[in-house]
Amino acid sequence: MWLQQILLLSGLVTLCFSLDNGLARTPPMGWLTWTRFSCNTNCEQDPDYCISEKLVMQMADHMAMDGYKEAGYEYVCLDDCWLAAERDVFHQLQPDRKRFPHGMKYLADYVHSKGLKLGIYEDFGTKTCAGFPGSEFYMELDAKTFAEWGIDLLKFDTCHSDARENKYGYPAMSMYLNQTNRKILYSCEWPYGELQLNASIQTDYSAVRTSCNTWRNFWDVSDDFNSVKSIVGFYGKNNALFQKYSGPGGFFDPDQVLVGGFGMSHYQQRAQMAMWAMFSAPLIMSNDLRSIPAEAKQLLLNKYIISVDQDPLGTMATKLWEFNGLQLWVKPIVPTGSLAIAFFNSNNYGSGTPLVSVASDLGMADARGYQVTEVFEGTDLGTLKPDSKLSIRVNPDDVYMIICKILS
Ligand SMILES: *[C@@H]1O[C@H](CO)[C@@H](O)[C@H](O)[C@H]1NC(C)=O
Ligand SMILES: *[C@@H]1O[C@H](CO)[C@@H](O)[C@H](O)[C@H]1NC(C)=O
């Protein structure tokens, strides 16, 4: 009974105010340069992999052509290292002229012509993380500049700033974005800056949610399953707190989805994708869409996982238990009473963990029963009643995930 109550409660939490710009009603989906292309500015020697308008245009082409746009991926985003070394004589930001010869307005127009949106990066501090001009003292001008260029998303980083000021600086930028009258999705690193103060400040997530559409609150993800496990661990540890602040208009951002990368096995990649969907996290991939393995592409386009991520309730899953490295996460989805269930196995030995569960112990307690589908293969597992048994095996470093739709 307690289990049913937890799930019911988490589905009915009355959220505090979200940023009132009409954006991020479900978690944003898109692509970002950072993990895959980092701060490669060497276009002379590495023309196909450097941060440039050509790279962004090619990714936009692939997002539009290869089914990503139809699946919901919408924002094509630049991270650090797009800027020129200095502001112009009017103090306005300017892109590096060699790598962005046509300027940002041209690039935004191009991305828009593909039916997509353009994201850009700046920093609350005096410099960006890579040392380019930061927005401190210029936030109003920079917000105007981004709006004039036709930017649709701003990732606002927290390097070279005093993170104790984040609670003033991030809301100020939010206000300046609002004053432009252009709808710009606001992706904040405010809590991440405060995390680096080592608990000398407790993040006020209610305030963050009022100013930001998405917010990073942990270290950067890297193309390595240990990194993914540490993020899942952090979200598990703070589950009860974070759940209160996730919902339409504002979402926790555990960082980029690295499906299609080099450092994780296919199973590890699908575990990341599944857990991000359970969290209602932004699905912002960082990979090379020009040369992505078929298996990775299929995973990124998996309609079941995307539907869980994009569920209109926007709830963060509840972590029900962890035992010997195996975790059970359950997320309420529509129609009311339905659930997504994920077993996350952080063990990497042997042939996995076999498990027999009674459906009601997984949250399936409604006597009407559930239509159950496994998400990776799309296998129909038939109907389960509360006293039915579910027999599964969770592979090492993998997830077993099902969608359980309530029967009427
Ligand atoms: C600015 O804020 C007001 C009040 O919260 C809101 O109604 C409006 O839609 C916002 N505009 C933009 C462009 O975000
Ligand atoms: C926080 O802790 C890390 C690691 O222990 C350390 O490198 C960093 O300097 C600390 N930051 C502050 C602001 O004390």
Side-chain angles (χ1 to χ4, degrees):
M1 210 54 213
W2 61 272
L3 177 59
Q4 198 56 5
Q5 270 160 11
I6 290 178
L7 293 172
L8 209 66
L9 275 174
S10 65
L12 292 177
V13 168
T14 345
L15 284 168
C16 61
F17 294 111
S18 67
L19 172 57
D20 183 19
N21 61 3
L23 299 173
R25 303 315 296 170
T26 61
M29 295 172 66
W31 180 93
L32 177 68
T33 49
W34 188 249
T35 301
R36 189 58 173 263
F37 299 95
S38 63
C39 189
N40 181 350
T41 55
N42 189 351
C43 289
E44 287 78 35
Q45 283 165 25
D46 206 10
D48 293 332
Y49 296 90
C50 63
I51 303 302
S52 67
E53 65 179 29
K54 189 176 92 174
L55 182 72
V56 173
M57 288 161 80
Q58 288 181 345
M59 293 306 159
D61 291 346
H62 282 280
M63 270 175 63
M65 271 182 335
D66 299 346
Y68 298 98
K69 188 175 103 177
E70 283 73 25
Y73 295 89
E74 185 178 23
Y75 292 91
V76 191
C77 305
L78 282 160
D79 205 283
D80 206 344
C81 305
W82 61 271
L83 281 158
E86 304 288 343
R87 290 173 179 269
D88 73 10
V89 290
F90 307 107
H91 305 298
Q92 200 168 347
L93 290 171
Q94 50 184 350
D96 181 281
R97 286 289 155 193
K98 281 212 178 105
R99 294 182 286 119
F100 295 86
H102 299 92
M104 283 298 161
K105 176 80 173 64
Y106 171 89
L107 186 57
D109 289 346
Y110 184 84
V111 169
H112 295 158
S113 77
K114 301 281 163 184
L116 298 166
K117 298 193 155 122
L118 182 63
I120 212 162
Y121 167 100
E122 244 299 355
D123 191 289
F124 166 51
T126 51
K127 292 178 191 160
T128 71
C129 297
F132 293 90
S135 275
E136 199 158 1
F137 313 119
Y138 295 101
M139 288 196 284
E140 185 174 11
L141 174 62
D142 293 351
K144 271 191 191 149
T145 304
F146 296 146
E148 278 162 19
W149 287 344
I151 299 297
D152 305 293
L153 176 152
L154 171 64
K155 174 177 174 178
F156 210 43
D157 211 337
T158 187
C159 286
H160 300 287
S161 69
D162 180 348
R164 286 169 300 188
E165 310 262 295
N166 283 5
K167 61 175 177 246
Y168 310 113
Y170 280 84
M173 190 53 158
S174 187
M175 179 189 75
Y176 291 131
L177 290 172
N178 179 278
Q179 286 174 1
T180 68
N181 274 328
R182 183 173 177 84
K183 287 182 185 293
I184 299 178
L185 196 147
Y186 187 33
S187 164
C188 298
E189 301 221 10
W190 165 1
Y192 177 43
E194 291 179 346
L195 175 88
Q196 293 173 54
L197 296 171
N198 299 337
S200 68
I201 288 187
Q202 293 285 318
T203 292
D204 177 356
Y205 281 107
S206 170
V208 173
R209 188 175 160 79
T210 311
S211 289
C212 305
N213 292 119
T214 66
W215 47 88
R216 284 278 311 282
N217 63 346
F218 199 61
W219 308 98
D220 285 12
V221 70
S222 59
D223 191 5
D224 174 341
F225 198 59
N226 283 325
S227 159
V228 168
K229 280 200 284 196
S230 74
I231 295 168
V232 173
F234 180 71
Y235 276 67
K237 201 171 115 198
N238 296 286
N239 189 223
L241 174 70
F242 292 176
Q243 270 186 331
K244 292 189 204 155
Y245 302 102
S246 173
F251 298 97
F252 287 79
D253 179 5
D255 208 4
Q256 301 138 95
V257 171
L258 300 180
V259 174
F262 298 114
M264 293 194 277
S265 73
H266 176 65
Y267 296 101
Q268 292 170 338
Q269 292 183 15
R270 70 183 205 173
Q272 191 202 6
M273 178 93 178
M275 290 312 296
W276 265 228
M278 294 298 285
F279 295 152
S280 292
L283 296 179
I284 307 289
M285 49 189 170
S286 189
N287 51 21
D288 191 342
L289 297 175
R290 299 167 301 190
S291 62
I292 189 161
E295 220 175 24
K297 179 177 175 192
Q298 202 181 10
L299 179 55
L300 287 163
L301 299 181
N302 183 299
K303 64 178 182 188
Y304 298 106
I305 302 177
I306 291 175
S307 79
V308 171
D309 183 74
Q310 296 291 300
D311 183 83
L313 297 176
T315 308
M316 184 179 291
T318 300
K319 183 177 171 183
L320 287 183
W321 51 253
E322 173 162 3
F323 187 69
N324 280 348
L326 185 69
Q327 305 175 11
L328 173 62
W329 291 79
V330 180
K331 174 178 173 176
I333 54 174
V334 296
T336 308
S338 307
L339 301 168
I341 299 177
F343 293 90
F344 177 77
N345 195 353
S346 63
N347 290 310
N348 63 0
Y349 54 80
S351 48
T353 309
L355 201 74
V356 180
S357 313
V358 178
S360 60
D361 288 345
L362 305 177
M364 287 182 266
D366 193 302
R368 285 173 290 176
Y370 302 80
Q371 172 63 45
V372 180
T373 309
E374 189 280 336
V375 299
F376 295 117
E377 306 297 332
T379 312
D380 180 353
L381 300 181
T383 300
L384 293 186
K385 293 278 187 184
D387 60 356
S388 305
K389 289 210 171 84
L390 179 70
S391 177
I392 63 165
R393 173 176 295 276
V394 194
N395 298 328
D397 279 1
D398 192 12
V399 150
Y400 184 90
M401 179 169 164
I402 50 180
I403 294 176
C404 313
K405 292 269 185 197
I406 192 93
L407 295 170
S408 44

